[in-house]
Amino acid sequence: MNEVTLNIVFHKLVLNEKECITEFILNIDKATEIITRIQERKYAGQTKFSKLKIYFDDGDNSFMNIFFNNIKELSLENKDIKLAIVTDQVGHKGHLSLKQLKYLKEKNINITSHGVSHAALAIYNNGEILDTPKGGVYRNMTRGRLNQLSEEEVWYQLFESRDWLEKHVGSIDEFVLPYGTYNESTVRIFNRLSKYNFLSTCDNYLDSGKNLRPRYLITNSKSCAEIIDEICLLDLN
């Protein structure tokens, strides 16, 4: 039986609580408290999972500036940390540079793809996931969760981001879905491409090793206690 893993997702970390201006920005103290509490529950045998992996989506440079030096103190290993990188943003203000990505890769931090431009690979309309239009033009699309990508535009995000990362950083085996959204076409294109081993979502389940990988999104809209309680109730899909 595959080992059961909890995958949690952070975005941007800050030092001052006043800087938490969106739900995806967390104070480092809250982030470390969440990780510490999860580790305590895990070591005490009070969880359904035995491993913890931590994702940092979007490639914000707060990972390097704030979190990186705390990894050992939190009883984490570098190989259990994953950076989901938007290739268009590498080296831009507020984001990790290519030099930093190469350094982190050498330190056994996992680099994964988060698309070329962080365009959603599937979108919702009135709460229903829409089908992906067939055909289209093989091109980049702007960042966002509202633009409906065609099949060719989905191919572009999957293939070109991996190609860029492999040329500049090294081997990549995982695509992290922007906004966590996908549909049947997304999965079919992912399987046909055969360039990644894993397609990572924001589905709230524990990870049993399937190639459609669930992850729990940490936001600032819930207290530490609420987050820990929800995590401890997660089950396998």
Side-chain angles (χ1 to χ4, degrees), residues 90-189:
V90 174
H92 287 209
K93 183 178 179 180
H95 293 86
L96 294 165
S97 68
L98 181 55
K99 182 178 180 180
Q100 288 173 320
L101 290 180
K102 289 180 177 179
Y103 170 80
L104 292 168
K105 179 81 168 179
E106 290 174 357
K107 296 296 182 182
N108 293 322
I109 300 292
N110 285 279
I111 308 298
T112 69
S113 172
H114 203 27
V116 177
S117 61
H118 203 281
L121 301 197
I123 66 171
Y124 287 86
N125 183 36
N126 294 324
E128 292 188 8
I129 195 77
L130 298 181
D131 293 334
T132 300
K134 295 185 180 299
V137 179
Y138 187 73
R139 63 180 178 180
N140 197 11
M141 286 291 284
T142 56
R143 179 186 181 95
R145 64 173 76 206
L146 298 178
N147 295 323
Q148 188 175 22
L149 272 61
S150 67
E151 287 185 338
E152 287 295 319
E153 289 160 346
V154 171
W155 276 99
Y156 186 98
Q157 294 293 322
L158 287 163
F159 182 84
E160 296 296 336
S161 60
R162 179 186 178 276
D163 188 55
W164 190 94
L165 287 168
E166 292 217 323
K167 283 180 180 177
H168 293 90
V169 182
S171 61
I172 305 296
D173 73 346
E174 183 173 358
F175 186 92
V176 175
L177 290 157
Y179 310 103
T181 56
Y182 64 98
N183 57 20
E184 290 182 3
S185 294
T186 312
V187 177
R188 184 179 68 253
I189 293 169

Side-chain angles (χ1 to χ4, degrees), residues 3-230:
E3 195 167 33
V4 177
T5 303
L6 168 67
N7 303 310
I8 63 174
V9 186
F10 294 104
H11 286 80
K12 181 176 181 176
L13 300 177
V14 294
L15 297 173
N16 191 329
E17 183 66 31
K18 292 180 180 179
E19 297 177 76
C20 297
I21 56 176
T22 77
E23 65 174 335
F24 299 111
I25 302 176
L26 262 72
N27 183 301
I28 182 62
D29 292 337
K30 182 172 183 177
T32 54
E33 181 180 353
I34 291 167
I35 294 168
T36 300
R37 288 194 186 187
I38 291 171
Q39 297 279 53
E40 288 172 349
R41 295 281 188 98
K42 181 169 69 72
Y43 293 142
Q46 298 173 347
T47 62
K48 300 173 185 177
F49 53 89
S50 56
K51 287 189 68 66
L52 171 65
K53 294 187 183 294
I54 301 178
Y55 287 74
F56 286 85
D57 284 7
D58 299 349
D60 192 273
N61 62 11
S62 61
F63 173 81
M64 193 74 169
N65 298 339
I66 297 176
F67 187 82
F68 183 65
N69 289 332
N70 292 324
I71 291 175
K72 287 185 179 179
E73 293 180 14
L74 291 167
S75 299
L76 298 169
E77 295 185 40
N78 286 10
K79 65 182 179 63
D80 292 327
I81 310 295
K82 302 192 174 208
L83 299 180
I85 300 300
V86 181
T87 57
D88 273 358
Q89 295 177 345
V90 174
H92 287 209
K93 183 178 179 180
H95 293 86
L96 294 165
S97 68
L98 181 55
K99 182 178 180 180
Q100 288 173 320
L101 290 180
K102 289 180 177 179
Y103 170 80
L104 292 168
K105 179 81 168 179
E106 290 174 357
K107 296 296 182 182
N108 293 322
I109 300 292
N110 285 279
I111 308 298
T112 69
S113 172
H114 203 27
V116 177
S117 61
H118 203 281
L121 301 197
I123 66 171
Y124 287 86
N125 183 36
N126 294 324
E128 292 188 8
I129 195 77
L130 298 181
D131 293 334
T132 300
K134 295 185 180 299
V137 179
Y138 187 73
R139 63 180 178 180
N140 197 11
M141 286 291 284
T142 56
R143 179 186 181 95
R145 64 173 76 206
L146 298 178
N147 295 323
Q148 188 175 22
L149 272 61
S150 67
E151 287 185 338
E152 287 295 319
E153 289 160 346
V154 171
W155 276 99
Y156 186 98
Q157 294 293 322
L158 287 163
F159 182 84
E160 296 296 336
S161 60
R162 179 186 178 276
D163 188 55
W164 190 94
L165 287 168
E166 292 217 323
K167 283 180 180 177
H168 293 90
V169 182
S171 61
I172 305 296
D173 73 346
E174 183 173 358
F175 186 92
V176 175
L177 290 157
Y179 310 103
T181 56
Y182 64 98
N183 57 20
E184 290 182 3
S185 294
T186 312
V187 177
R188 184 179 68 253
I189 293 169
F190 166 82
N191 289 331
R192 284 176 58 194
L193 181 61
S194 300
K195 296 294 184 181
Y196 302 94
N197 293 328
F198 300 100
L199 183 65
S200 294
T201 73
C202 284
D203 295 341
N204 285 336
Y205 299 104
L206 297 177
D207 177 12
S208 63
K210 297 177 182 178
N211 65 354
L212 193 61
R213 178 170 278 169
R215 307 184 307 153
Y216 179 91
L217 177 61
I218 304 288
T219 69
N220 215 11
S221 59
K222 299 174 183 176
S223 69
C224 287
E226 289 174 318
I227 290 168
I228 299 304
D229 286 346
E230 285 188 359

